Amino acid sequence: MATKLVTIAFDVMGSDHGPAEVVRGAAQLSLESPHIHTLLVGDRAVIDNALAETKHNGERISVQHASEQISMTEKPGEALARKPDASVSVAARLVAEGEADALVSAGNTGACVLSCARHFQLLPGVRRAALASVYPTRARHGDKDDPFSLILDVGATVEATADDLVTFAVMGSAYARIISRNENPKVALLSNGTEPNKGPRQVVEAHARLASLPGLQFIGNVEGVDIPKGTADVVVTDGFVGNVCLKMLEGVHETVVELAQYAYKESLRWRAGLAMLSGGIQRIKDITDWEQYGGAPVLGFDRIFIKAHGRSRSRAIANAGKVAAKAVSHELGKAIQQGLAR
Amino acid sequence: MSLPDRIDPRPPRRIYRWDLDKTYLQTEFDSLRDLLRTAFQKAHEKQAVPGASALIRELAANGDSRLCIVSGSPKQMRSVLEEKLKLDGVVWDEFVLKDNVGNLMRGRFRALRGQVGYKLPAILESRANAPVEAEEVLFGDDAEADAFIYSLYADMIAGRVDERVLNQILAAAAVYPDEAERVRTAWKKIPVSDPVRRIFIHLDRLTPPAHFSNYGPRVVPIFNYFQAALVLLADGHLTAPQVIKIAVEMVQTAGHNIITLSNSFQDLLRRGLPLQQAAAALVQALEGPNALLQALRPVPDIISAFTKRLAALGTPPPPPPVQAVDYLDLIHHALPRTHKARKTH
């Protein structure tokens, strides 16, 4: 069966490493994935200069000029109102108009989500969109032996209702099924105890409804300790708790790296020990390499949006494009709708 | 009325010079295995680059032109290569192949891989027999030294390169003395004129286009022959319906589609090629009655795709400035690439 052609719009102007890094990622994608076309949205002169110096396939890349950009420090609502030709806004509009099938951006998360909210429609049955994120775990998941689990929401909906949590569970399950090739992902609610009656009212209510939802492998509640263990393939919570968890995981990772650096400098004996462990450390680095995942999806809209990390390098951008193309090809939106209809 | 006592063919108004491997044929010769496979391929097994044969046929259809092929393939492959060209409906006027066996027998190992000492005298000798007013368009690829050799050739016959610089180039390119003498002899026979209009470089290895910017706007790196056809439409060598024919062949035989074609079109616009009028002519031709278009998608879709790609860019950039080429600075482009260099490009 011929692979469906997919066009991915890239907001070129958002990355911490500058537009050229996003252009290089898209260029890499044009060489690796013949079925993916890229639409680069941003300052045309900057894009052209970067493309001219980068190995790419010009048959698979087009450019849409956008004269403005939104920085990481700007307030999303104000910035979007002040800058109607901002690259993220133009890119979202082009996706909404069907010029591209999905959007990838490494820019200001708030501006990205707000642009999507303005141009895309929420899927029937979805009240609030959810920002999902992948994190490394001890357990492996799905057919790909994926070392990552999915947590949602991590910031789009600060206070989620029981309805929202059930919707997040269905959306996260559909995403894991398609992207991680995990046919029957284990879904859990994050709470302060595994018993069904533990946690705030909305979590208890969501638990009761998820337990009787067909087509979803709901394993009940999990606690914080289960997150890095990978007890569940999909962890469901509200945006406030999810964001705190995610930031803590990132903090732990950074602390471990700093401790290793400290140990390396402190004593020759420790350095020798680290050298002996280098193979193992590299292996851990490989399996926790978030760049191979590229980005995190915003789930709930009728169009696909993958939020790449602000510090994404070209490989992460290219992988975000592949994830977006996979979500489009496997009709993620339809899969979510089918889950919600049950 | 008296009849002329001889009927000579009309002198060519235009000369199209083609390389063969990686320019016309999809050839792999980076490894010994590739070389062997290429050597034993039958004519019908050889694949032409999409759109190449259609482009050659359309250029020939306008009459008053010559097709001169200078290929680095060995002379022993002549029959199979000629058979392939005939299968594709390509009619040629000159077809020069490299005497690799002769070079090997004489111990001229540098000549086996060197291109300057082979191609430069061959095309200069061909030009020496051409009418002074004949314009030229040259086609090469990014695998070897085509951009360098073709640009040097153009600037030599236009009088923009002097003998001192030429000698330095020939020495730096390690050209054998007899080949260097052929270059000088042929060059002296050619009246000074400036006939080379375009040099197309097929990006077989997807070399970044900026790699060729030092050669100036005459050299146009292309990802496919639809791009060459668009530039030749703007230059007056082809008509819009002919460009559509080439596009149709690429759609029918090589899996191109409206997205790859419109992206290719926009890519040239972004590089500053003045194609706005060519685009208008193309749209006009698409709107006219043309049975060929049934092979593409509905005509409004094609026009819309092209118009959108054009509009997406806002104000067109200025064309790249004309510049003098510093051949001694670019001599590394003319030297055979090492295996490592081929991989990195």
PDB file of all heavy atoms in Angstrom, chain A residues 17-49:
ATOM      1  N   HIS A  17      17.313  27.704  19.717  1.00  0.00           N
ATOM      2  CA  HIS A  17      18.565  27.676  18.944  1.00  0.00           C
ATOM      3  C   HIS A  17      18.464  28.437  17.624  1.00  0.00           C
ATOM      4  O   HIS A  17      19.356  28.342  16.781  1.00  0.00           O
ATOM      5  CB  HIS A  17      18.974  26.227  18.656  1.00  0.00           C
ATOM      6  CG  HIS A  17      19.248  25.447  19.900  1.00  0.00           C
ATOM      7  ND1 HIS A  17      20.295  25.723  20.724  1.00  0.00           N
ATOM      8  CD2 HIS A  17      18.572  24.421  20.474  1.00  0.00           C
ATOM      9  CE1 HIS A  17      20.273  24.895  21.757  1.00  0.00           C
ATOM     10  NE2 HIS A  17      19.234  24.100  21.622  1.00  0.00           N
ATOM     11  N   GLY A  18      17.375  29.154  17.423  1.00  0.00           N
ATOM     12  CA  GLY A  18      17.230  29.968  16.222  1.00  0.00           C
ATOM     13  C   GLY A  18      16.569  29.203  15.081  1.00  0.00           C
ATOM     14  O   GLY A  18      16.488  27.978  15.094  1.00  0.00           O
ATOM     15  N   PRO A  19      16.108  29.967  14.081  1.00  0.00           N
ATOM     16  CA  PRO A  19      15.358  29.372  12.972  1.00  0.00           C
ATOM     17  C   PRO A  19      16.139  28.326  12.179  1.00  0.00           C
ATOM     18  O   PRO A  19      15.551  27.356  11.691  1.00  0.00           O
ATOM     19  CB  PRO A  19      15.003  30.556  12.077  1.00  0.00           C
ATOM     20  CG  PRO A  19      15.501  31.771  12.736  1.00  0.00           C
ATOM     21  CD  PRO A  19      16.214  31.425  13.978  1.00  0.00           C
ATOM     22  N   ALA A  20      17.458  28.525  12.054  1.00  0.00           N
ATOM     23  CA  ALA A  20      18.244  27.602  11.219  1.00  0.00           C
ATOM     24  C   ALA A  20      18.159  26.170  11.741  1.00  0.00           C
ATOM     25  O   ALA A  20      18.197  25.218  10.960  1.00  0.00           O
ATOM     26  CB  ALA A  20      19.690  28.060  11.164  1.00  0.00           C
ATOM     27  N   GLU A  21      18.021  26.030  13.060  1.00  0.00           N
ATOM     28  CA  GLU A  21      17.955  24.680  13.632  1.00  0.00           C
ATOM     29  C   GLU A  21      16.666  23.972  13.182  1.00  0.00           C
ATOM     30  O   GLU A  21      16.687  22.780  12.858  1.00  0.00           O
ATOM     31  CB  GLU A  21      18.014  24.778  15.160  1.00  0.00           C
ATOM     32  CG  GLU A  21      18.386  23.501  15.867  1.00  0.00           C
ATOM     33  CD  GLU A  21      19.804  23.020  15.564  1.00  0.00           C
ATOM     34  OE1 GLU A  21      20.695  23.843  15.326  1.00  0.00           O
ATOM     35  OE2 GLU A  21      20.006  21.787  15.556  1.00  0.00           O
ATOM     36  N   VAL A  22      15.571  24.717  13.159  1.00  0.00           N
ATOM     37  CA  VAL A  22      14.296  24.127  12.700  1.00  0.00           C
ATOM     38  C   VAL A  22      14.385  23.811  11.207  1.00  0.00           C
ATOM     39  O   VAL A  22      13.926  22.751  10.755  1.00  0.00           O
ATOM     40  CB  VAL A  22      13.112  25.084  12.992  1.00  0.00           C
ATOM     41  CG1 VAL A  22      11.800  24.448  12.555  1.00  0.00           C
ATOM     42  CG2 VAL A  22      13.059  25.438  14.471  1.00  0.00           C
ATOM     43  N   VAL A  23      14.983  24.722  10.450  1.00  0.00           N
ATOM     44  CA  VAL A  23      15.136  24.488   8.998  1.00  0.00           C
ATOM     45  C   VAL A  23      15.969  23.226   8.767  1.00  0.00           C
ATOM     46  O   VAL A  23      15.625  22.383   7.921  1.00  0.00           O
ATOM     47  CB  VAL A  23      15.786  25.712   8.308  1.00  0.00           C
ATOM     48  CG1 VAL A  23      16.099  25.401   6.853  1.00  0.00           C
ATOM     49  CG2 VAL A  23      14.867  26.921   8.393  1.00  0.00           C
ATOM     50  N   ARG A  24      17.032  23.069   9.553  1.00  0.00           N
ATOM     51  CA  ARG A  24      17.875  21.870   9.393  1.00  0.00           C
ATOM     52  C   ARG A  24      17.085  20.603   9.721  1.00  0.00           C
ATOM     53  O   ARG A  24      17.251  19.572   9.067  1.00  0.00           O
ATOM     54  CB  ARG A  24      19.117  21.971  10.281  1.00  0.00           C
ATOM     55  CG  ARG A  24      20.212  22.833   9.662  1.00  0.00           C
ATOM     56  CD  ARG A  24      21.547  22.629  10.385  1.00  0.00           C
ATOM     57  NE  ARG A  24      21.577  23.374  11.625  1.00  0.00           N
ATOM     58  CZ  ARG A  24      21.963  24.647  11.727  1.00  0.00           C
ATOM     59  NH1 ARG A  24      22.348  25.306  10.660  1.00  0.00           N
ATOM     60  NH2 ARG A  24      21.966  25.257  12.889  1.00  0.00           N
ATOM     61  N   GLY A  25      16.230  20.692  10.730  1.00  0.00           N
ATOM     62  CA  GLY A  25      15.395  19.537  11.078  1.00  0.00           C
ATOM     63  C   GLY A  25      14.457  19.181   9.942  1.00  0.00           C
ATOM     64  O   GLY A  25      14.307  18.009   9.575  1.00  0.00           O
ATOM     65  N   ALA A  26      13.828  20.203   9.359  1.00  0.00           N
ATOM     66  CA  ALA A  26      12.908  19.964   8.237  1.00  0.00           C
ATOM     67  C   ALA A  26      13.674  19.438   7.026  1.00  0.00           C
ATOM     68  O   ALA A  26      13.182  18.569   6.293  1.00  0.00           O
ATOM     69  CB  ALA A  26      12.180  21.249   7.895  1.00  0.00           C
ATOM     70  N   ALA A  27      14.884  19.964   6.828  1.00  0.00           N
ATOM     71  CA  ALA A  27      15.716  19.503   5.701  1.00  0.00           C
ATOM     72  C   ALA A  27      16.057  18.025   5.871  1.00  0.00           C
ATOM     73  O   ALA A  27      15.995  17.243   4.910  1.00  0.00           O
ATOM     74  CB  ALA A  27      16.987  20.335   5.629  1.00  0.00           C
ATOM     75  N   GLN A  28      16.390  17.669   7.102  1.00  0.00           N
ATOM     76  CA  GLN A  28      16.698  16.254   7.404  1.00  0.00           C
ATOM     77  C   GLN A  28      15.483  15.375   7.101  1.00  0.00           C
ATOM     78  O   GLN A  28      15.599  14.300   6.515  1.00  0.00           O
ATOM     79  CB  GLN A  28      17.068  16.162   8.886  1.00  0.00           C
ATOM     80  CG  GLN A  28      17.683  14.855   9.313  1.00  0.00           C
ATOM     81  CD  GLN A  28      18.029  14.888  10.802  1.00  0.00           C
ATOM     82  OE1 GLN A  28      18.420  15.927  11.345  1.00  0.00           O
ATOM     83  NE2 GLN A  28      17.866  13.773  11.465  1.00  0.00           N
ATOM     84  N   LEU A  29      14.332  15.878   7.472  1.00  0.00           N
ATOM     85  CA  LEU A  29      13.085  15.137   7.221  1.00  0.00           C
ATOM     86  C   LEU A  29      12.856  14.952   5.719  1.00  0.00           C
ATOM     87  O   LEU A  29      12.416  13.896   5.269  1.00  0.00           O
ATOM     88  CB  LEU A  29      11.930  15.938   7.844  1.00  0.00           C
ATOM     89  CG  LEU A  29      10.613  15.238   8.077  1.00  0.00           C
ATOM     90  CD1 LEU A  29      10.789  14.044   9.002  1.00  0.00           C
ATOM     91  CD2 LEU A  29       9.603  16.211   8.688  1.00  0.00           C
ATOM     92  N   SER A  30      13.190  15.986   4.948  1.00  0.00           N
ATOM     93  CA  SER A  30      12.978  15.900   3.491  1.00  0.00           C
ATOM     94  C   SER A  30      13.881  14.849   2.851  1.00  0.00           C
ATOM     95  O   SER A  30      13.573  14.319   1.779  1.00  0.00           O
ATOM     96  CB  SER A  30      13.219  17.260   2.826  1.00  0.00           C
ATOM     97  OG  SER A  30      14.601  17.524   2.687  1.00  0.00           O
ATOM     98  N   LEU A  31      15.001  14.535   3.512  1.00  0.00           N
ATOM     99  CA  LEU A  31      15.911  13.514   2.980  1.00  0.00           C
ATOM    100  C   LEU A  31      15.510  12.116   3.430  1.00  0.00           C
ATOM    101  O   LEU A  31      15.718  11.136   2.726  1.00  0.00           O
ATOM    102  CB  LEU A  31      17.348  13.786   3.447  1.00  0.00           C
ATOM    103  CG  LEU A  31      17.956  15.127   3.057  1.00  0.00           C
ATOM    104  CD1 LEU A  31      19.325  15.302   3.699  1.00  0.00           C
ATOM    105  CD2 LEU A  31      18.086  15.247   1.553  1.00  0.00           C
ATOM    106  N   GLU A  32      14.930  12.042   4.639  1.00  0.00           N
ATOM    107  CA  GLU A  32      14.678  10.728   5.241  1.00  0.00           C
ATOM    108  C   GLU A  32      13.288  10.159   4.931  1.00  0.00           C
ATOM    109  O   GLU A  32      13.111   8.956   4.940  1.00  0.00           O
ATOM    110  CB  GLU A  32      14.798  10.838   6.773  1.00  0.00           C
ATOM    111  CG  GLU A  32      16.214  11.080   7.245  1.00  0.00           C
ATOM    112  CD  GLU A  32      16.276  11.368   8.739  1.00  0.00           C
ATOM    113  OE1 GLU A  32      15.218  11.434   9.400  1.00  0.00           O
ATOM    114  OE2 GLU A  32      17.401  11.536   9.251  1.00  0.00           O
ATOM    115  N   SER A  33      12.308  11.026   4.751  1.00  0.00           N
ATOM    116  CA  SER A  33      10.919  10.545   4.668  1.00  0.00           C
ATOM    117  C   SER A  33      10.242  11.063   3.404  1.00  0.00           C
ATOM    118  O   SER A  33       9.681  12.170   3.405  1.00  0.00           O
ATOM    119  CB  SER A  33      10.142  11.015   5.901  1.00  0.00           C
ATOM    120  OG  SER A  33      10.803  10.614   7.070  1.00  0.00           O
ATOM    121  N   PRO A  34      10.290  10.273   2.330  1.00  0.00           N
ATOM    122  CA  PRO A  34       9.747  10.748   1.052  1.00  0.00           C
ATOM    123  C   PRO A  34       8.258  11.087   1.103  1.00  0.00           C
ATOM    124  O   PRO A  34       7.777  11.872   0.286  1.00  0.00           O
ATOM    125  CB  PRO A  34       9.977   9.562   0.111  1.00  0.00           C
ATOM    126  CG  PRO A  34      10.975   8.704   0.772  1.00  0.00           C
ATOM    127  CD  PRO A  34      10.877   8.941   2.236  1.00  0.00           C
ATOM    128  N   HIS A  35       7.524  10.511   2.054  1.00  0.00           N
ATOM    129  CA  HIS A  35       6.073  10.771   2.071  1.00  0.00           C
ATOM    130  C   HIS A  35       5.721  12.027   2.875  1.00  0.00           C
ATOM    131  O   HIS A  35       4.567  12.401   2.942  1.00  0.00           O
ATOM    132  CB  HIS A  35       5.324   9.564   2.634  1.00  0.00           C
ATOM    133  CG  HIS A  35       5.571   9.334   4.090  1.00  0.00           C
ATOM    134  ND1 HIS A  35       6.791   8.937   4.583  1.00  0.00           N
ATOM    135  CD2 HIS A  35       4.765   9.484   5.169  1.00  0.00           C
ATOM    136  CE1 HIS A  35       6.718   8.834   5.897  1.00  0.00           C
ATOM    137  NE2 HIS A  35       5.502   9.160   6.279  1.00  0.00           N
ATOM    138  N   ILE A  36       6.740  12.672   3.483  1.00  0.00           N
ATOM    139  CA  ILE A  36       6.451  13.861   4.278  1.00  0.00           C
ATOM    140  C   ILE A  36       6.934  15.117   3.552  1.00  0.00           C
ATOM    141  O   ILE A  36       8.106  15.223   3.184  1.00  0.00           O
ATOM    142  CB  ILE A  36       7.116  13.784   5.675  1.00  0.00           C
ATOM    143  CG1 ILE A  36       6.649  12.530   6.415  1.00  0.00           C
ATOM    144  CG2 ILE A  36       6.777  15.027   6.491  1.00  0.00           C
ATOM    145  CD1 ILE A  36       7.319  12.317   7.763  1.00  0.00           C
ATOM    146  N   HIS A  37       6.020  16.035   3.344  1.00  0.00           N
ATOM    147  CA  HIS A  37       6.384  17.343   2.794  1.00  0.00           C
ATOM    148  C   HIS A  37       6.359  18.355   3.929  1.00  0.00           C
ATOM    149  O   HIS A  37       5.547  18.230   4.840  1.00  0.00           O
ATOM    150  CB  HIS A  37       5.389  17.764   1.712  1.00  0.00           C
ATOM    151  CG  HIS A  37       5.512  16.937   0.477  1.00  0.00           C
ATOM    152  ND1 HIS A  37       6.157  17.382  -0.647  1.00  0.00           N
ATOM    153  CD2 HIS A  37       5.100  15.685   0.215  1.00  0.00           C
ATOM    154  CE1 HIS A  37       6.126  16.420  -1.558  1.00  0.00           C
ATOM    155  NE2 HIS A  37       5.493  15.384  -1.065  1.00  0.00           N
ATOM    156  N   THR A  38       7.251  19.331   3.870  1.00  0.00           N
ATOM    157  CA  THR A  38       7.278  20.305   4.951  1.00  0.00           C
ATOM    158  C   THR A  38       6.947  21.695   4.424  1.00  0.00           C
ATOM    159  O   THR A  38       7.361  22.070   3.324  1.00  0.00           O
ATOM    160  CB  THR A  38       8.651  20.339   5.645  1.00  0.00           C
ATOM    161  OG1 THR A  38       9.614  20.737   4.706  1.00  0.00           O
ATOM    162  CG2 THR A  38       9.033  18.992   6.202  1.00  0.00           C
ATOM    163  N   LEU A  39       6.205  22.408   5.220  1.00  0.00           N
ATOM    164  CA  LEU A  39       5.867  23.797   4.909  1.00  0.00           C
ATOM    165  C   LEU A  39       6.503  24.643   6.011  1.00  0.00           C
ATOM    166  O   LEU A  39       6.081  24.577   7.171  1.00  0.00           O
ATOM    167  CB  LEU A  39       4.337  23.959   4.895  1.00  0.00           C
ATOM    168  CG  LEU A  39       3.763  25.361   4.809  1.00  0.00           C
ATOM    169  CD1 LEU A  39       4.275  26.107   3.593  1.00  0.00           C
ATOM    170  CD2 LEU A  39       2.235  25.307   4.747  1.00  0.00           C
ATOM    171  N   LEU A  40       7.535  25.387   5.651  1.00  0.00           N
ATOM    172  CA  LEU A  40       8.277  26.172   6.643  1.00  0.00           C
ATOM    173  C   LEU A  40       7.662  27.566   6.728  1.00  0.00           C
ATOM    174  O   LEU A  40       7.600  28.280   5.720  1.00  0.00           O
ATOM    175  CB  LEU A  40       9.744  26.270   6.243  1.00  0.00           C
ATOM    176  CG  LEU A  40      10.473  24.934   6.086  1.00  0.00           C
ATOM    177  CD1 LEU A  40      11.911  25.148   5.646  1.00  0.00           C
ATOM    178  CD2 LEU A  40      10.439  24.148   7.384  1.00  0.00           C
ATOM    179  N   VAL A  41       7.231  27.936   7.928  1.00  0.00           N
ATOM    180  CA  VAL A  41       6.567  29.221   8.099  1.00  0.00           C
ATOM    181  C   VAL A  41       7.456  30.127   8.946  1.00  0.00           C
ATOM    182  O   VAL A  41       7.822  29.762  10.073  1.00  0.00           O
ATOM    183  CB  VAL A  41       5.190  29.039   8.778  1.00  0.00           C
ATOM    184  CG1 VAL A  41       4.470  30.385   8.868  1.00  0.00           C
ATOM    185  CG2 VAL A  41       4.345  28.025   8.026  1.00  0.00           C
ATOM    186  N   GLY A  42       7.805  31.275   8.402  1.00  0.00           N
ATOM    187  CA  GLY A  42       8.658  32.204   9.136  1.00  0.00           C
ATOM    188  C   GLY A  42       9.283  33.212   8.191  1.00  0.00           C
ATOM    189  O   GLY A  42       8.817  33.383   7.056  1.00  0.00           O
ATOM    190  N   ASP A  43      10.348  33.856   8.640  1.00  0.00           N
ATOM    191  CA  ASP A  43      11.014  34.865   7.829  1.00  0.00           C
ATOM    192  C   ASP A  43      11.669  34.193   6.628  1.00  0.00           C
ATOM    193  O   ASP A  43      12.608  33.413   6.768  1.00  0.00           O
ATOM    194  CB  ASP A  43      12.067  35.589   8.673  1.00  0.00           C
ATOM    195  CG  ASP A  43      12.693  36.743   7.917  1.00  0.00           C
ATOM    196  OD1 ASP A  43      13.151  36.531   6.771  1.00  0.00           O
ATOM    197  OD2 ASP A  43      12.736  37.849   8.469  1.00  0.00           O
ATOM    198  N   ARG A  44      11.153  34.533   5.480  1.00  0.00           N
ATOM    199  CA  ARG A  44      11.550  33.833   4.255  1.00  0.00           C
ATOM    200  C   ARG A  44      13.055  33.971   3.947  1.00  0.00           C
ATOM    201  O   ARG A  44      13.699  32.995   3.542  1.00  0.00           O
ATOM    202  CB  ARG A  44      10.684  34.401   3.122  1.00  0.00           C
ATOM    203  CG  ARG A  44      10.994  33.933   1.746  1.00  0.00           C
ATOM    204  CD  ARG A  44      11.771  35.025   1.041  1.00  0.00           C
ATOM    205  NE  ARG A  44      12.070  34.670  -0.298  1.00  0.00           N
ATOM    206  CZ  ARG A  44      11.322  35.014  -1.328  1.00  0.00           C
ATOM    207  NH1 ARG A  44      10.207  35.659  -1.153  1.00  0.00           N
ATOM    208  NH2 ARG A  44      11.695  34.682  -2.527  1.00  0.00           N
ATOM    209  N   ALA A  45      13.612  35.167   4.180  1.00  0.00           N
ATOM    210  CA  ALA A  45      15.043  35.361   3.874  1.00  0.00           C
ATOM    211  C   ALA A  45      15.904  34.475   4.778  1.00  0.00           C
ATOM    212  O   ALA A  45      16.876  33.859   4.323  1.00  0.00           O
ATOM    213  CB  ALA A  45      15.420  36.823   4.056  1.00  0.00           C
ATOM    214  N   VAL A  46      15.516  34.406   6.051  1.00  0.00           N
ATOM    215  CA  VAL A  46      16.271  33.580   7.004  1.00  0.00           C
ATOM    216  C   VAL A  46      16.170  32.104   6.609  1.00  0.00           C
ATOM    217  O   VAL A  46      17.165  31.360   6.606  1.00  0.00           O
ATOM    218  CB  VAL A  46      15.705  33.794   8.438  1.00  0.00           C
ATOM    219  CG1 VAL A  46      16.337  32.833   9.416  1.00  0.00           C
ATOM    220  CG2 VAL A  46      15.928  35.231   8.884  1.00  0.00           C
ATOM    221  N   ILE A  47      14.965  31.683   6.247  1.00  0.00           N
ATOM    222  CA  ILE A  47      14.757  30.281   5.855  1.00  0.00           C
ATOM    223  C   ILE A  47      15.569  29.959   4.598  1.00  0.00           C
ATOM    224  O   ILE A  47      16.248  28.928   4.525  1.00  0.00           O
ATOM    225  CB  ILE A  47      13.255  30.005   5.606  1.00  0.00           C
ATOM    226  CG1 ILE A  47      12.459  30.172   6.910  1.00  0.00           C
ATOM    227  CG2 ILE A  47      13.044  28.607   5.037  1.00  0.00           C
ATOM    228  CD1 ILE A  47      10.953  30.151   6.722  1.00  0.00           C
ATOM    229  N   ASP A  48      15.501  30.844   3.610  1.00  0.00           N
ATOM    230  CA  ASP A  48      16.206  30.582   2.347  1.00  0.00           C
ATOM    231  C   ASP A  48      17.716  30.489   2.552  1.00  0.00           C
ATOM    232  O   ASP A  48      18.372  29.623   1.971  1.00  0.00           O
ATOM    233  CB  ASP A  48      15.897  31.685   1.324  1.00  0.00           C
ATOM    234  CG  ASP A  48      14.498  31.522   0.750  1.00  0.00           C
ATOM    235  OD1 ASP A  48      13.905  30.454   0.964  1.00  0.00           O
ATOM    236  OD2 ASP A  48      14.010  32.454   0.109  1.00  0.00           O
ATOM    237  N   ASN A  49      18.233  31.380   3.381  1.00  0.00           N
ATOM    238  CA  ASN A  49      19.679  31.335   3.648  1.00  0.00           C
ATOM    239  C   ASN A  49      20.068  30.016   4.306  1.00  0.00           C
ATOM    240  O   ASN A  49      21.079  29.408   3.946  1.00  0.00           O
ATOM    241  CB  ASN A  49      20.098  32.498   4.552  1.00  0.00           C
ATOM    242  CG  ASN A  49      20.123  33.803   3.794  1.00  0.00           C
ATOM    243  OD1 ASN A  49      20.163  33.813   2.565  1.00  0.00           O
ATOM    244  ND2 ASN A  49      20.060  34.911   4.503  1.00  0.00           N
TER     245      ASN A  49
END
